[in-house]
Amino acid sequence: MLNSPVEERRVPAVRMENVTKTFPGVKALDRVSFDVDHGEIHAVVGENGSGKSTLLKLMVGAFPMDSGLIRIDGDEVRLRSPREARKRYGIKIMPQDVELCGQLITGRNIMLGLEGALVDRNRLSRREQAMTTEVLRLIGAHVDPLVLGEDLSTPEARFIQIAHALLPPVSVVLCDEPTAVLSTVDAEALLATLTRIRSEAGTAIVYVSHRIGEVLQIADRITILRDGLSVGTFRRDEIDRQQIIELMTKSARVGEQGAPSQDAPRSAANRSRLAVKALGQGRSFSDVSLEAAAGQIVGIAGAQGAGFGPLLAAIAGRMKYDAGSIELDGVSIPPGSTTKAYKLGIALVPADRRQAGIVPSLTVRENIALPVAGSLGRNGFRLRRAERETSRKFAEVFDIRGAGLNTMAGNLSGGNQQKLAIARSLQGDPKFLLLEEPTQGIDIGAKAEIRHYISRLVRDEGMGALVASSEFEDLIGFSDVLHVMRLGRIVATFDGKTATYSDILHAALP
């Protein structure tokens, strides 16, 4: 039986005591205590929804706490904004997404938010040049400060984010899945950089990651969260990979929680088959082979950044692939051909439903009619009655609750927005539906509804579905076949009805 012995430290860089944070319908953190010392890498691990990201956002002042307190260097503080956390206390966050201002030079990206009143976007002052040169030296990044941000590679851009986070004043750096978009070689370089910074600069580093191997490689201490609660904090030499996974996971086998009944046989009347062979696209994914048949749900599980998003985009023609092939019923889908993929019968529901799945500024009716407006028009004119009838049918089928067909899509709940995104994709009567993170960010009831609708489309309509998710519990007991992706490759395949959460987690985590 593991204990969680955490000796009292003198004055932690940051200490959180009995912190609670609740969002509508969910308690993200429940009386969690956590601290990180100067000169320490403290890792935070847990499954999706365990509270990791919320913990970081409270620590950087992005969210207010419901209760509890935060101490910085022993003094109780109330953080009101990330700006205050950064400027007053030296707490900075390195987000998971790699984003820079492409039209600014690299040095200006490093200095962003720390400039004076008057700056030249394409030049650095002597003081700024000295500061950027020193911080780039500290992290071992060989990047020209005068190169435009848009000309940097993804690893280079990530290192510029690190440089920005380490520019004085800095006391604490919060890292949210920092290696999710990096190759193995680049990830190793980043880990070495963080370890050196911890030792040389005495910086406190909070490291959130799904990659247990990385955590055991660099962390001094490890805190495990589950369902918003702290399971325990352990020194690295007190715990191993198997014990971490056991403490992260729920005791019950996932798949028993609201998965739709699979008793009714799934129809495969159209006998369509999708074949992906040795598909590759740069660093996004490589050598991916899988098949999906009509009347079948194929799941793809993986941690965030595993590569399933770009994979689905490539199958749907939204991203060019540079190796392998995609065939639907023996007909090849060329790289980057959205039109060919759609005409053959492939529809994609992307993860970012608000930005890419629906148009928030249009009504429910307009959104449903939008994908195939040509089929609801004649000689260039829209057939309003056909639009209304089609929209009403899909709104009723998917039970899209709201004020009516003229409700603005942006005013719908997250669950209803997701159902609307799926309804939009069905307008063209696809043979295969590709869904990325279909249940992410919606409540339990809406998740069950989404799974029910997907299952019904497959079982009753004979459609094929490829469902990719980082929320493993939504795939177990729901998929017929379940592939696991890790670092851009399929590394394991399970029977979706008998797989366990632990099986998937072992395969998914590097």
Side-chain angles (χ1 to χ4, degrees):
M1 177 69 181
L2 282 170
N3 298 315
S4 62
V6 183
E7 65 263 22
E8 285 297 323
R9 312 263 167 158
R10 284 190 178 178
V11 182
V14 178
R15 182 175 181 84
M16 308 178 78
E17 299 178 6
N18 297 315
V19 171
T20 296
K21 179 62 181 177
T22 303
F23 298 102
V26 61
K27 183 171 283 188
L29 292 173
D30 188 2
R31 295 167 294 172
V32 169
S33 293
F34 172 86
D35 66 78
V36 56
D37 288 333
H38 292 288
E40 177 191 29
I41 298 177
H42 193 146
V44 182
V45 299
E47 61 180 322
N48 290 304
S50 62
K52 305 186 301 295
S53 293
T54 301
L55 185 72
L56 293 190
K57 288 175 180 177
L58 291 178
M59 203 177 302
V60 79
F63 291 154
M65 298 180 297
D66 295 341
S67 62
L69 60 87
I70 297 180
R71 298 183 188 276
I72 297 178
D73 288 327
D75 297 326
E76 183 177 349
V77 301
R78 183 171 297 276
L79 298 174
R80 295 175 176 83
S81 70
R83 178 183 176 85
E84 180 187 32
R86 181 180 70 248
K87 289 205 163 186
R88 187 170 181 180
Y89 302 108
I91 301 176
K92 300 184 180 181
I93 188 166
M94 187 195 309
Q96 182 175 342
D97 296 331
V98 180
E99 294 181 351
L100 296 179
C101 295
Q103 298 306 308
L104 296 182
I105 60 172
T106 296
R108 189 57 63 204
N109 271 281
I110 295 174
M111 296 296 301
L112 203 61
L114 300 172
E115 316 94 332
L118 298 174
V119 297
D120 186 331
R121 59 185 291 176
N122 294 315
R123 293 183 181 180
L124 298 173
S125 67
R126 288 186 179 180
R127 173 177 169 275
E128 290 173 333
Q129 182 76 43
M131 292 176 68
T132 55
T133 299
E134 173 58 23
V135 74
L136 288 171
R137 182 205 63 78
L138 176 64
I139 65 175
H142 304 287
V143 182
D144 185 348
L146 299 181
V147 171
L148 287 177
E150 63 184 9
D151 294 330
L152 298 179
S153 67
T154 297
E156 288 172 336
R158 174 59 91 193
F159 276 95
I160 295 309
Q161 284 186 316
I162 299 172
H164 174 71
L166 291 176
L167 207 62
V170 60
S171 175
V172 181
V173 177
L174 313 180
C175 303
D176 189 3
E177 298 285 355
T179 60
V181 296
L182 301 181
S183 68
T184 301
V185 173
D186 292 324
E188 286 293 331
L190 174 56
L191 297 181
T193 297
L194 293 177
T195 302
R196 186 171 64 254
I197 292 167
R198 179 265 317 270
S199 302
E200 293 183 9
T203 306
I205 299 174
V206 180
Y207 191 85
V208 169
S209 179
H210 281 99
R211 300 184 176 186
I212 305 301
E214 293 179 357
V215 167
L216 289 171
Q217 178 180 341
I218 68 169
D220 298 294
R221 289 188 293 160
I222 302 165
T223 289
I224 302 170
L225 299 180
R226 187 175 69 221
D227 296 332
L229 296 169
S230 175
V231 177
T233 297
F234 308 90
R235 293 192 302 271
R236 180 174 44 175
D237 60 2
E238 295 175 329
I239 196 167
D240 59 25
R241 177 189 175 94
Q242 177 63 34
Q243 291 168 323
I244 291 174
I245 291 175
E246 288 175 355
L247 290 172
M248 285 172 56
T249 58
K250 302 177 179 68
S251 57
R253 209 174 95 186
V254 184
E256 298 171 359
Q257 303 176 7
S261 171
Q262 304 296 328
D263 294 338
R266 288 174 176 156
S267 168
N270 63 34
R271 303 295 179 187
S272 290
R273 183 170 294 276
L274 176 67
V276 176
K277 301 176 182 177
L279 205 67
Q281 201 287 316
R283 295 179 175 177
S284 298
F285 57 86
S286 61
D287 198 27
V288 174
S289 296
L290 58 85
E291 290 191 352
Q296 182 184 46
I297 295 177
V298 175
I300 303 178
Q304 294 175 355
F308 54 69
L311 173 64
L312 294 191
I315 296 173
R318 297 194 182 188
M319 173 183 285
K320 288 186 177 182
Y321 57 89
D322 50 32
S325 65
I326 305 170
E327 293 183 355
L328 180 54
D329 297 332
V331 180
S332 177
I333 299 174
S337 180
T338 307
T339 302
K340 185 66 175 285
Y342 189 79
K343 285 184 175 180
L344 286 174
I346 295 177
L348 172 66
V349 181
D352 189 353
R353 54 180 172 266
R354 189 172 180 87
Q355 298 299 323
I358 65 171
V359 182
S361 60
L362 297 182
T363 66
V364 170
R365 174 180 57 78
E366 291 169 332
N367 266 275
I368 294 177
L370 187 63
V372 286
S375 65
L376 296 176
R378 184 175 300 151
N379 298 324
F381 293 94
R382 296 169 61 184
L383 299 179
R384 300 284 185 174
R385 179 179 296 178
E387 285 187 5
R388 285 195 298 270
E389 291 176 355
T390 301
S391 301
R392 185 177 295 109
K393 179 185 73 173
F394 279 106
E396 290 175 355
V397 167
F398 283 90
D399 191 21
I400 300 173
R401 303 181 184 93
L405 293 176
N406 292 320
T407 300
M408 301 303 292
N411 294 332
L412 296 175
S413 67
N416 282 325
Q417 287 182 0
Q418 185 66 297
K419 287 187 281 186
L420 178 59
I422 296 174
R424 278 190 60 187
S425 69
L426 296 178
Q427 255 284 359
D429 194 23
K431 296 178 181 178
F432 284 90
L433 190 61
L434 316 182
L435 302 107
E436 181 189 358
E437 301 282 16
T439 58
Q440 189 175 71
I442 59 179
D443 61 45
I444 294 174
K447 285 186 178 185
E449 286 186 285
I450 296 296
R451 291 196 298 269
H452 169 73
Y453 292 129
I454 296 170
S455 182
R456 190 171 69 182
L457 289 168
V458 172
R459 184 179 62 247
D460 298 341
E461 305 296 330
M463 192 177 295
L466 203 57
V467 184
S469 179
S470 60
E471 300 185 1
F472 306 157
E473 58 271 90
D474 289 337
L475 296 176
I476 301 173
F478 175 64
S479 308
D480 295 299
V481 177
L482 209 168
H483 301 291
V484 181
M485 283 192 77
R486 184 179 72 219
L487 303 179
R489 292 176 176 267
I490 289 181
V491 295
T493 299
F494 301 102
D495 184 322
K497 298 182 182 66
T498 60
T500 67
Y501 191 99
S502 182
D503 289 335
I504 298 174
L505 198 62
H506 272 290
L509 298 180

